Every structure is written in C-alpha cells, then in structure tokens.
Amino acid sequence: MRLKTCALCSTSLAILTLAAAPSFAQGQSATPPDPAVQAQESPADAEAGSVQTDGAVETGGQDAEQGIVVTGLRRSLQSAQNLKRNSEQQIDAIVAEDIGKLPDIAVSDTAARIPGIQVERSGGEATRVLVRGLDRDYYTTTYNGREIFTAETRSVALQDFPAGAIAAVEAFKTSSANLVEPGLAGLINVRSRRPFDFKGLEIAGSVWGVYPNQSRDFSPNANLLIANRWDTGIGEIGALINLSYTQLHYQDSIRRHGFFIANLAGGRAPDWPEIRYNEATRRRPSINGALQWRPSPGLEFYAEGLWQGYREEAEDRMWAQPLWGGTHSNVVFRDGTNAVESGTVVNPGAPGETWGFQGGTYRKTDTYQFAVGGSYDAGPLRISGDLARTDSTFNLETESVDYEINTNNYTVDYVIGSPGGPGPTLQVSGIDPANPAIYNYRGFYEDYLTAKGKDWQARLDFEYEPGFEFLPKIEWGVRYVDRNATSERGDRYWNFTARACCGGHAPIPLSAVPLDYRLFQSAFRGDNDKPFPRTWLAPTYNSIRKNLVELRQFNISQGTASRSNTVDDPERDPTRGFDINEKSYAAYAQLGFRFDVGFPVDGNLGVRAVKTKERIRGTVTAPGTAPTPVEFDNNYTDWLPNISFRAQFTPEFQLRFAATQTRTRPTFEQLNPALNLASPTPCSPGASDCVRRGTGGNPFLKPLTSNNYDASLEYYFARAGFASLAVFRRDMRGFITDTTFEYPDPDPVTGQPLLITGPVNTRKARIDGFEAQVSTFFDFDFVPQWAHGFGAQANVTYIDAKADFTLFQDAPTAANPTNEVTQRLRIPDVSKWTYNLVGMYEGGGFSARLSYNLRSRYPEGDLDQRDNNSGDPYTLQGSVRPTSRLDWSSSYAFNDNLTVFLDWTNILRNPFRSDIVRVNYRAGVMNGENEVFPLVYRFEESVVSGGVRFRF
C-alpha cells in the first residue's frame, strides 16, 4: 500500500513537472533521437555509435538554433540522454565529460549517481555496487558488450576499471534476447574508446595527485591516451592505446563493538569494544588498446586488448578491550531500560584478554582480455562476430601478528552509547601503549588463496531488414562460452597465548619476535569522541612481509605446531578448493515490430535459449581417512523470453513497457562439492537420528530465476533536458541460503543418510520500486542569459525488497524440538530510499558540479542465527543508519589544450554508523522487545585531488 501511495505521489509530481516543461522550453524544441548513439548490445554493435563527448570527435560542435557552445558537461548529458532515448532496452547511462574525465575518481562512485543503483563505501571509494537491491553476484558485467569477470567470480568489481579509460557506463534495467544473459538485477556495460571515435591523431592525458584526510599521504596518478587513424591503400586503419595508473593510501578509522550482546554491570550491552584501522595502499595499473580496419564501407574488423591490475598492501590493525569482570562504577543506564550506556571498570577481564593484531596482507589481481571481431553490412543483412579470451588470477597472502596485553591493572572509561548517538568509545588509563613490556606474542595467522578464471567466448549475430513496415528487423544469433574456475586455499595458526583456557603457552614477549616495531600514525580526524589508545606498538608492514621465513622459523622453534609446520607457504586445504568447468551454448531469435495507432509503437519480441553443462570437482574429507576426490556433472537449459514496446505519443513523449525473464547462476564457490564429514555416530539402525553429518557446498544448485516487469514514462523537452518515471517489479525464486539438506547419495562408509549443512535453493523474493529523475540545463527563454550556464539533476529511487528467510533449521533433538520458522524479511544491504541531487555550471571555460547523495537506513549483512536448538534462539544483524555524502568536481580550460581540475569527495565527512539488533524468538515467534545498541562508527577518507588534463 505504501509503495502505491509513493508511486502516486511521484506520478503527480512528474505530471506537474511535465506539464510545466513545455512553457520552460519554448524556443528550445527537442532534437530528434540521434540514430548513431545507442546502448552497446554487442562488441561489434555498429548501431551503438560513439558516445564521445570531446571536440575531437564527429559529434562536437555548436547548437546553431540556440547559439550555445556544446562543451564537456552539457555534451556528456546530451549523449547520455540520447543513449537512454534511442536504446531498445530501458537503460540509464553516465558519459565522460572529456577524455579521462568521468565525474568521479572511480567508476563505482560514478555508478552511484545512476537511478536504481546503491553503493557501499570504504577505503576512499565505492566498494560494493547494488543494482535495484542486488550486488554483483546477481548482475552481469560486460566490457564493450563482452562478458568480463575477476578470477573465480562471475563478474568484475566496477572500481577496478580505471575511470580515465572509460567513455561511458551503461546500466541495462531490462533485457532483450540479443544481449549477453543479464542477471536477476540487470547488466552493467563499461564502454571504452576506439580509434574510429576520433577524427585523427589524438594525444590526451591527465596527471593528478590525491590527498586523503585520514592517512595524509599524497599519491600520484596519471592517464595517457594516444589514438590515430589513417587512409591507406587497403582501407582506413585506426589504432589506440590507453595507459592508466591510480594509487591511494587510505586509513579508515573505526570505533566499534564485537558482534554480540551480553550481561554487563547489572544490565545488557556489547562488552568487547574495538579500535580498528582499515589501512592500505591500493594501486591499479591498467592498459587497454584497440585496432580497427575498415577495408570498405560496411566492412570492419577490430582487435582489442585489456589488462587490469590490482595491488594492495593492507596493514589493518585492532585493539580489542574487554569490559567484563573487574569492578564497575559510574554505570549509566538508558532511561527506563537495563541497557548500559556508559561506565567505568577497574581491572577489566584478565591478563591476556585484551588483544589485537597487526596485518601484513598483500592482494594481487591480473585480468587480461583479448578479442577479435568484425561486422559486415550488406544492405538488408548485417553480420557481426566476436571471439574473446579472458584470463584472470587473484592471489591473497594474509599475514597477521597477534598480541595480547599481559596485565589488567588499569582502568577503562567506556561509552556503549545509544542508537543514533556518537557510537562506542573508550579511554584506557593506567598503562602506556608505547611500552613494549606490556605486550606478549599471542600467535601468527596465515591464509593464502590463489583463484583463477579463464574463458573462451564466441558469438555470431545476424540482423535482417525484410523491408516490411510492421516488421523492420529480424535478429538471430548464437554464443558459446567455455569457462574454467579454480580455487586453492590454505591457512594455519601458530597459537602462543598464555591464557590457560586457550593454549597456556609460556609467555613470549612481543619484543622477542624478529620484527621491527613502531607507534603507527594515528587518525580519527574529525572525531569529537576520539578513543584512547589511538596508536600502539605494532610491527611494521615491511618487517612482516620481508621476514616471513625468519618469522615462521621463530614460531617453529617455540615448540607449538600449526597445521603445516614449515617455513614454506601454508599447504593448500583440499576441502576449500574446487575446479569447475562450465560450458554454455546460447541461441536467440528476436523480431522487431512497428505499427501505428495514431502514434507510432515499436518494440521487440524474442527468446533466448541457454544450455549449460558443468563438470564440478572437489574433495571429501573425514576424520581418519585420506582426502577423496569427487566429481559431479550437471546440465540444464534456460528459456528466457522477452517482450518490450515503446509508444511515442509525440516526438518528445514516450512510454516503455517490458516483460522479461532472467536468471543468475550460483557462484562457483557455492557449487564447490568439497565436503567435510564429522566422525560417524553410533546409533541403532532405523533410528531417526541415525545419520552422518557434514558441511560443504552444493554442486546440485540450480540457477535463480526472475520474472521482471518494467514500465517507464519519458519526456525529452530539450537537447540536454528530460524527465522520466519508471516502475519495476521482480518476482524471484531459488534464492540461495545455508541450511541442512540430505545429500543424494548415502555415506559410503556407514551407509547412513548424509545430512549436509550448506547452500540450497529455497527462498522466494520480490522487489518492487520506482525511479524518478529529471536532468536539464536552464536554457529557457524566460531565464536570464547569465543563468543559462547552470543546470541540475535530481533522482529518487524507492525499493521494497523482501525475501523468505527460514530461521533456526538445525536438526531437532528430543530435548530441544525445532524452532524453525519462515518469515518474509527485508533483503540485506538494500535501502528503501536513495536520493541524488546535482548542481552544475559551465561557462567561460569553467565547469563545476556539486553532487549530494543520501541513502536511507538498511539492514546490514545476513541474519546471524544463534542458539538454534535452545528454548530461546535469537538473531543478530547490523542496521545501517542513513548516510549522506557531498562531492565537488571542477575544472578550468585555459584553451583547447590545457585544463586544470580540482575534485573533493566526501566533503561532509559524515561517519558511517550502524547498530546491532538482537531479535529474540520462542517457539517460532518473536519474543519481547528487540535489543539495539550502536555497533560501528567509521570515519572514512575525504579525498582532495587536483591536476591537469592535456590534449594535442
């Protein structure tokens, strides 16, 4: 009901806007759609045209009717508007203002300005992009219309694309049969530049520096593009190369609680606060290039290549301070409750229970994609083809040096806080964090991962124009993909804690460990409730990374063995690895139709069939037995129909509708067949509890499917001005959740049924929502001339995303009957409301953009289910409070060759805030009031960047 009310309110607002727009736009009649600019449906899509926005391309120039010089900002909005207007699918796009100039440093931050897209931020950038409520596990990512992924995943993180090499970002909200299969949420295509986009020789680039507020560490960045085209005796030839390098040293500063609620000081509260730093230096080198050859009109060939690199040196760290035990005083409770808000504790916990770690982690990714293809236009028949190879490897080397404080002879003044307040903080007094004598060596953890993904993908597409007005085109084609995904992982821990409960090792002074130590640079800049300590004695990143052999040898010499007690890297754990081959064969057919009912109506009707074959390999392990390889084969066929139409009531006013079916395959990690079986349990034959249990993945998972319904009303009242309202619905089934299921085959050792806890297709879900947006420059007759350089963009998205969650599914016992209950709850990490407001100015060589973004509250992370078989089970979940952000982007062009720019992200510096929510149950029913406490208070980077762009 609320969604209907919101939609009606927004519809009324849109109607008022549209009714007023013609009077605003008098003397500024709309431009007919540009047939050369559409969303890119395939790598060789000739109809896509160029989205270039600079004066070196064919689309540059002056609006003769209005006398307005169409420069960067205005031209980028006009190009994005034409993409939306002309494309057969419902899309939204952002186009670069100039070579090397998207509105933001990272592509993922740019995506946050697209209606229907939400992002989560950390480390100085948007790190997670959700399309209509679902993350990249549920949408497809393509590069120039070609599927791309990272290592063993099915998609690529958008922030891994260098913004300087990108021409446009296109978000497909609906699908058609000729597209690479979108996921449940849609498809995001990243378009690069090609040499034929330019008139001739083009040399352009940028050099800039970034300065984050928390780390206070300046980093250089650069981008260079060189392109040219030549008329030769064998036709026209073009070549392009684009090099990019970005770097950022970030230091997010975090006050938080551990993820639980306990009894404390006669009341209830989280009782183990933490001081954390997520700190790392991140580098992204990248090269992309392209060759194009046009031997004759209508015939074109190309070759493209891309290398994406990712390097991260992470030195995250933590101080975890127990509050239990000791003597409490000055305890303050929340009004009318037993919830503790603040207090003082003397001698908290026990020696060794205050602990932490210093990380020395290295992450490295190399992704390569090479492709060749071409197109032939023979009048009514157009043929295009593409062959591509992708090879991606991710390596993770996690090193963590753990310490513990060997005394509890000190005092802690603590603030638990109230929901919505300034969050948890603490002040430790009575010890000196710079004193090496208070630190004992607690242990050393290592976790190594090598994940690889490779594929061959080939497609052949045909388009035929039969010459009938009602049937303007017929499309058909085929696609083949041979994909491999592998993962190998191993970890180990040398445990040297002196605590009797957990090891009881003879104390080892931290200073005895062969590492270099320092008081690291503190942060928490802008925090009015800074904790203490903010810095403490910790080993340096380089001394951990460069002395691994010596450090491992030191651990071995202390007489405590880990799982692989050598100076070599950790041995791979067979239960954590997999090797999967997936082949898919796709064919599609699609009819374009057109007719007139007093106004033109056109659209598409099509179907795509995809047959999938999987060979899945893993390992089964059990106590006392050698690891046993296992292999499974799956095959299934998906039929994905689509129908869409567009009614063009006037040249400016159009209505779209689409009904489609999409699907998303399970992740390769979820398909991992590795099983870890528990020891057999003696039982009487035929008894209900005569089973063997284990944990693992599920090679029998099926794709998730969705029936999708979309409609949009669009009004184009100016060359760079439009308003639209879109509504959508997703009916999904097969959502994957962890539960206990019976394996198809019995245990080969005991013959007992195998009950495995792992992922299964169980949940249904529904997503409803709407998107409203308006974008324009104020080129209206009644507006003073000086105001014509100003513009604005605004959009709002509402998403109601819910799924069925089955809770407390552990097998019951006679003493503890089942607490299982199924509830329809909000899908995690999805805000109901997202707002974007942008103010723009462009004139006299100066360009500026001020962007505001706001997300409403959302549940964070999956429900954590505790005490499943007790009489009082409960769930824990984070709840993120509304988050706002303000960004600035500006530039000044001295001439056609030189531009200076200054950008500032996260100007408001509002911290990320979340709560922990405990919901109690009894007999499958919520029991009592929820317990809510502050959980996380994170101060993220505010980044200032400035530099020059040049072109010749």
Side-chain angles (χ1 to χ4, degrees), residues 574 618-622 625-631 674-675 748:
T619 306
V620 174
T621 62
T625 63
T628 303
V630 292
E631 180 175 326
L675 296 178

Side-chain angles (χ1 to χ4, degrees), residues 895-915:
N895 50 49
D896 291 340
N897 305 112
L898 184 65
T899 300
V900 295
F901 62 90
L902 177 69
D903 300 334
W904 186 6
T905 67
N906 193 19
I907 298 172
L908 300 177
R909 302 179 187 177
N910 292 329
F912 171 93
R913 301 174 301 153
S914 71
D915 300 328

Side-chain angles (χ1 to χ4, degrees), residues 205-208 898-901 946-950:
S206 307
V207 178
W208 71 98
L898 184 65
T899 300
V900 295
F901 62 90
V948 297
R949 289 197 301 273
F950 57 87

Side-chain angles (χ1 to χ4, degrees), residues 22-273:
S23 63
F24 290 169
Q26 289 177 3
Q28 187 183 345
S29 59
T31 301
D34 181 356
V37 181
Q38 297 184 21
Q40 188 178 32
E41 297 175 337
S42 69
D45 186 359
E47 293 182 339
S50 169
V51 293
Q52 298 302 323
T53 55
D54 53 89
V57 300
E58 306 292 347
T59 57
Q62 181 166 323
D63 187 327
E65 182 181 337
Q66 296 297 311
I68 299 168
V69 178
V70 185
T71 50
L73 257 177
R74 193 183 303 267
R75 191 186 293 113
S76 71
L77 294 184
Q78 183 172 335
S79 188
Q81 177 173 310
N82 285 340
L83 282 171
K84 180 179 181 67
R85 184 177 192 172
N86 301 337
S87 297
E88 297 178 356
Q89 303 82 8
Q90 295 181 31
I91 77 153
D92 285 291
I94 290 184
V95 176
E97 301 167 25
D98 201 348
I99 297 175
K101 183 53 180 172
L102 277 174
D104 303 274
I105 296 174
V107 171
S108 52
D109 283 310
T110 296
R113 312 198 188 287
I114 298 176
I117 290 184
Q118 301 173 355
V119 301
E120 297 175 10
R121 291 182 168 93
S122 63
E125 66 182 14
T127 54
R128 189 176 182 220
V129 178
L130 294 86
V131 178
R132 288 181 169 175
L134 299 173
D135 67 14
R136 68 188 184 100
D137 286 342
Y138 301 97
Y139 59 81
T140 301
T141 53
T142 58
Y143 176 68
N144 290 332
R146 189 181 302 112
E147 195 169 10
I148 191 169
F149 52 83
T150 299
E152 86 291 10
T153 67
R154 292 192 180 274
S155 59
V156 68
L158 291 182
Q159 60 267 29
D160 285 345
F161 286 104
I166 301 307
V169 180
E170 301 167 335
F172 287 77
K173 309 295 183 62
T174 64
S175 64
S176 56
N178 59 338
L179 279 178
V180 172
E181 302 93 64
L184 270 63
L187 181 149
I188 294 183
N189 181 51
V190 177
R191 292 177 71 163
S192 71
R193 293 176 169 82
R194 287 173 169 172
F196 283 177
D197 293 338
F198 301 93
K199 295 178 180 179
L201 177 63
E202 182 75 19
I203 301 175
S206 307
V207 178
W208 71 98
V210 297
Y211 187 74
N213 177 60
Q214 296 292 339
S215 72
R216 301 288 174 96
D217 189 6
F218 177 86
S219 299
N221 293 254
N223 179 76
L224 177 65
L225 177 144
I226 303 173
N228 205 354
R229 57 195 294 179
W230 306 268
D231 285 317
T232 72
I234 59 172
E236 194 171 7
I237 296 176
L240 176 148
I241 187 169
N242 200 135
L243 301 93
S244 176
Y245 177 82
T246 63
Q247 177 178 319
L248 179 69
H249 176 191
Y250 63 86
Q251 190 179 14
D252 289 351
S253 311
I254 305 164
R255 300 187 266 113
R256 65 162 297 157
H257 287 302
F259 197 64
F260 46 83
I261 299 171
N263 295 324
L264 178 70
R268 297 278 292 169
D271 62 354
W272 207 341

Side-chain angles (χ1 to χ4, degrees), residues 717-741:
F717 53 83
R719 285 173 170 80
F722 79 96
S724 70
L725 175 67
V727 295
F728 57 88
R729 178 169 180 168
R730 303 285 183 267
D731 287 322
M732 300 171 287
R733 63 174 58 246
F735 258 70
I736 296 172
T737 186
D738 283 345
T739 187
T740 301
F741 63 96

